[in-house]
Amino acid sequence: MTPVVAIIAPGMMGAAVGKRLTDHGLKVLTSLDGRSAETIARARAAGMASASDKEIAASDFILSVLPPGDAVALAQRFAPTLAASNSKPVFVDCNAVSPPTAERIAAVIAPTGAPFVDAGIIGQPPTPKPGDAGPRFYASGPAAARFAALKQYGLDIRVLDGPVTAASAVKMSYAGITKGTQALAAVMMLAATRAGSADALFKELESSQPQMLGFLKRSLSMMPPKAYRWIAEMHEIADFVGEDPAGHELYTGAAHFYEQIAQDFAGDKNEVSALAAFLNTTPSPTSS
C-alpha cells in the first residue's frame, strides 16, 4: 500500500514538497485550521487535503516544515494526539534547528511511541520542471531508513550515519555558511551605498570575485521575503556554535541583521531597495 503523508505546514516549501508527493500518487494531508486564504489556496493547488489532528496522527509520516521558532510547539501540539492514536506515524522534523533543539523535539515525541527522524532540508522548493530533483533531505536517527522510503515518490533523501541529530548539524553548518555569508555581504553593500562607494565596490567584485557576485545576486535577490524566517534560524546556529563565544556572537548579530531587514521589508523597503540597486536586480516581491 502507498503511504499517506501529512505535511505541516503548507508554506512555500511544505506545499511544494506536498505537490511533489501528490504528483507521484500519494495522498498528502495538512492542517488548514486558522490559515489564511492564500495558504489554503496554495495547499489546494498542491493537491493536499485538509485534515484534523486525529486524521493526521493516523497517517504514515508527519513532516514538520515550519519556521524553526515554531518547531517545538508543533511537536507539543501533536504529542497528546499521537499518544492516543493506535497508528504511530514517523514524525520527521524537517526544520532548521540546532541539535539541542532537535533533541528537545525528539524528547517530546518519544513518550508517544511514534518514531522520530531528524531531517534538514537544503535547497529550493521542488518544481515540476523536468530534471528538477528538488532539495536534499538529510536524515538521521534509527527511523531515518523508514523515511527514506519516500525516495520512490520523488524526494531526494540522504540518510546520514552518526547521532540522531546529525542531520541538524549538517543543516546548521551549511546554513551558517550560506546565510551567514549573505548577511555579511549585505551589511557591506549597504555600508558602501551609504558611503557613496557602491559602484566602485560592485565593479571590484565583478572583476575579482565574479563567482561570489553571481551567488550574491541570486541569493540576496530572494532573501528579503525570507528574512523573518531566518531570524530564529540564526539564533539556532548561534546555539549550535555555542561553545565558541565569538561564533555565537557572530550569528546572534546575523539574527539582528535579518530582523532589521524583515522590518524594512514590511515597511518602507529602504534597505531592500538599496540592496536591489547595488546588485542591479528587481526588488523582492511581497512575502507570502
Side-chain angles (χ1 to χ4, degrees), residues 55-222:
E55 291 170 325
I56 288 170
S59 63
D60 296 293
F61 297 92
I62 297 176
L63 275 57
S64 173
V65 186
L66 297 158
D70 299 331
V72 174
L74 182 79
Q76 292 170 335
R77 167 186 155 187
F78 273 94
T81 309
L82 288 172
S85 177
N86 290 328
S87 302
K88 299 299 178 183
V90 178
F91 189 95
V92 187
D93 185 83
C94 302
N95 302 302
V97 297
S98 67
T101 301
E103 289 173 352
R104 286 178 59 200
I105 296 168
V108 171
I109 297 299
T112 72
F116 173 82
V117 173
D118 179 37
I121 303 175
I122 295 178
Q124 297 300 313
T127 71
K129 294 179 181 178
D132 176 21
R136 280 76 62 207
F137 285 77
Y138 287 91
S140 54
R146 291 177 60 180
F147 172 48
L150 295 183
K151 290 170 68 173
Q152 62 185 301
Y153 301 103
L155 299 188
D156 183 350
I157 300 172
R158 307 181 183 192
V159 177
L160 300 174
D161 294 328
V164 172
T165 58
S168 284
V170 170
K171 172 64 177 177
M172 292 289 94
S173 303
Y174 183 86
I177 293 170
T178 57
K179 294 170 185 175
T181 298
Q182 289 181 58
L184 291 172
V187 166
M188 289 298 102
M189 290 172 185
L190 291 171
T193 299
R194 292 191 298 270
S197 59
D199 288 345
L201 176 60
F202 183 88
K203 289 177 181 177
E204 179 56 37
L205 289 170
E206 192 173 41
S207 172
S208 63
Q209 303 291 338
Q211 290 184 324
M212 178 187 292
L213 181 60
F215 162 72
L216 293 172
K217 290 185 75 168
R218 291 189 302 274
S219 57
L220 289 178
S221 66
M222 299 184 292

